[in-house]
């Protein structure tokens, strides 16, 4: 009997409930809709951009070079889970039919009285919508000329990116990246959103610092650093202020005391 | 004499002072340092990402395939102004020598007691530094394995991106894109940062809305919509609440009144 195989199947049974929960959470994430994308590479890099921020529902309306696309899968890097469940639609209307709120991304002003949102605002609005059980999506247009006005008219609001007007040249994957980044940020505490954080080590307390001061001052006294003697008080105060700025951890202060001790010993050897 | 040519040269003289001002502003933008980038394409797409957010000072430490790079220039799309002034350095120390504060980007925890910052925080800190006249930079590592620990040790703080820990796969240009996006955001009012905004048209006031209500109710009275008559009051209130939700502009209300008028005429024709 292969115990490792058994272990795996037991483990799989155990994680099923969690996977169920996870897929419900996934349903809260926005749907990314690419309208008539031309290059498979761009579909793949968009999928990869999505996956970085945990967004996985990709829909394509009439991809020019057909589907499935080997180029898309290659460009997606490890985002196979996005590519595998990508769905294809004949019309934009069908692609957005189950959505409660849709953004149209556009890089240029349209002659429409539609509210224009910054990615931060749009992410917050989408988050509020999904928290009430709504399903949201973001439409991206063709590489060459974006969405047409009929497609924009299907959207609730317009989403645009704060690019330099003198050099606006984001490709689809870059636009997807920034919007998915803002989506992820909108749902998390900023600190918790990072994959790792500042090491949580004990800071040196004042006792540690006063010992460091004393040790350094002793070492400097040994080599006659504080000259003339009437300036010693001022020089000590100055040094203590300099050392305070380090805002060090306990172990860093220990390292520095080791440095001082080593320099003291060097001095002793020197004079032996 | 070619007047158009003359106009151009006069115009160029006039804009010189502004261009001077602009280049001083540029000096406040962070420097992007790519350490031993392998592919010219990645240098080019990083330059393009920078240009979208007005960041133009790119420095390369020992690019693997040499410099200048045709591949970099092609991938930079229209960001020639970034590629043309890109500078090459032999060591990271030289590349950051004139900077007052440097961030090291890394996707994984290092065994160092260095503060880890989110892009939003890092952008704010860099902005504060530049406002006091300091010059800041952000280092990005090699495609394969990032920055080494000696390079990270040169930095003041660590910068990492809030990616999904289960799928962290940003390329250099994408990391540059998000950090430059946050840099641009940190210096601008969110609304002003967009290339265009929601059209500023007069909203319909209550008089416009009450006229719309009256017009629709009159048209519906003509076709006997409010039945039975004792329910009219409730139905009218309901309709008015529905129409209020549109939060329309004056010209949109005019369009709707045109729609109602057209339906009234159709009805009249029908009964003629």
């Amino acid at each position: 009997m292969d115990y490792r195989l058994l272990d795996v199947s037991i483990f799989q049974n155990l994680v099923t409930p969690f996977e169920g929960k996870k897929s419900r959470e996934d349903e809260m994430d926005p749907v990314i809709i690419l309208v008539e994308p031309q290059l498979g590479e761009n579909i793949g890099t968009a999928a990869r951009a999505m996956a970085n921020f945990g967004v996985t529902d990709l829909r394509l309306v009439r991809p020019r070079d057909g589907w499935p696309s080997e180029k898309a899968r290659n460009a997606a890097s490890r985002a196979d889970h996005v590519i595998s469940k990508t769905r294809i639609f004949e019309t934009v209307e069908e692609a957005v039919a189950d959505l409660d709120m849709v953004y149209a991304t556009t890089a240029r002003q349209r002659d429409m009285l539609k509210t224009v949102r910054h990615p931060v605002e749009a992410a917050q609005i989408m988050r509020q919508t999904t928290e009430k059980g709504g399903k949201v999506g973001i439409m991206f247009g063709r590489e060459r000329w974006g969405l047409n006005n009929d497609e924009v008219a299907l959207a609730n609001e317009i989403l645009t990116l704060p690019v330099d007007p003198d050099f606006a040249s984001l490709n689809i994957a870059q636009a997807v990246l920034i919007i998915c980044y803002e989506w992820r940020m909108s749902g998390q505490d900023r600190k918790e959103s990072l994959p790792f954080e500042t090491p949580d080590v004990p800071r040196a307390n004042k006792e540690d610092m006063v010992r460091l001061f004393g040790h350094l001052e002793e070492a400097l006294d040994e080599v006659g650093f504080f000259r003339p003697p009437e300036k010693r008080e001022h020089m000590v105060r100055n040094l203590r202020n300099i050392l305070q700025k380090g805002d060090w951890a306990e172990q860093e202060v220990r390292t520095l005391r080791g440095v001082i001790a080593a320099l003291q010993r060097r001095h002793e050897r020197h004079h032996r």
Side-chain angles (χ1 to χ4, degrees), chain A residues 182-252:
Chain A
E182 287 293 2
W183 165 258
R184 186 170 170 84
M185 296 241 294
S186 71
Q188 286 181 306
D189 176 66
R190 200 180 287 160
K191 200 173 168 191
E192 283 173 6
S193 71
L194 296 180
F196 59 91
E197 53 185 81
T198 307
D200 186 19
V201 293
R203 315 305 297 168
N205 61 20
K206 286 298 163 195
E207 187 179 7
D208 299 325
M209 290 304 289
V210 169
R211 281 195 186 136
L212 174 69
F213 299 157
H215 192 166
L216 179 62
E217 288 150 20
E218 172 200 305
L220 293 174
D221 275 329
E222 287 167 14
V223 294
F225 176 82
F226 298 112
R227 262 185 305 227
E230 62 270 26
K231 287 224 172 149
R232 186 182 189 280
E233 191 184 351
H234 175 75
M235 291 169 86
V236 161
R237 199 180 309 124
N238 202 19
L239 269 179
R240 289 183 171 203
N241 279 332
I242 290 170
L243 295 176
Q244 288 281 5
K245 288 198 176 172
D247 191 26
W248 290 306
E250 270 177 22
Q251 70 183 77
E252 291 171 319

Side-chain angles (χ1 to χ4, degrees), chain A residues 67-86:
Chain A
W67 195 260
S69 157
E70 218 29 61
K71 284 181 180 168
R73 193 172 282 278
N74 290 339
S77 194
R78 295 185 298 109
D80 288 315
H81 56 300
V82 177
I83 294 294
S84 299
K85 65 174 196 173
T86 296

Side-chain angles (χ1 to χ4, degrees), chain A residues 6 17 19 24 26 29 49 89-90 97 124 147-148 151 157 164 173 192 215-217 234-235 239 245 254:
Chain A
L6 183 67
E19 285 186 343
R24 274 200 300 281
D26 281 355
D29 287 327
F89 294 86
E90 254 314 296
Q124 287 163 350
L147 295 166
N148 66 37
E151 290 154 357
E157 297 187 334
D164 183 353
E192 283 173 6
H215 192 166
L216 179 62
E217 288 150 20
H234 175 75
M235 291 169 86
L239 269 179
K245 288 198 176 172
R254 278 197 300 274

Side-chain angles (χ1 to χ4, degrees), chain A residues 129-200:
Chain A
T129 306
T130 59
E131 277 168 1
K132 291 180 201 154
K135 198 162 169 60
V136 299
I138 308 139
M139 295 191 286
F140 296 82
R142 300 144 190 89
E143 286 90 335
R144 288 278 173 88
W145 46 275
L147 295 166
N148 66 37
N149 284 343
D150 289 340
E151 290 154 357
V152 175
L154 269 179
N156 296 64
E157 297 187 334
I158 284 173
L159 174 45
T160 195
L161 294 163
V163 290
D164 183 353
D166 296 336
F167 186 90
S169 168
L170 288 176
N171 66 27
I172 294 178
Q174 290 172 323
V176 167
L177 185 81
I178 286 176
I179 292 166
C180 291
Y181 162 80
E182 287 293 2
W183 165 258
R184 186 170 170 84
M185 296 241 294
S186 71
Q188 286 181 306
D189 176 66
R190 200 180 287 160
K191 200 173 168 191
E192 283 173 6
S193 71
L194 296 180
F196 59 91
E197 53 185 81
T198 307
D200 186 19

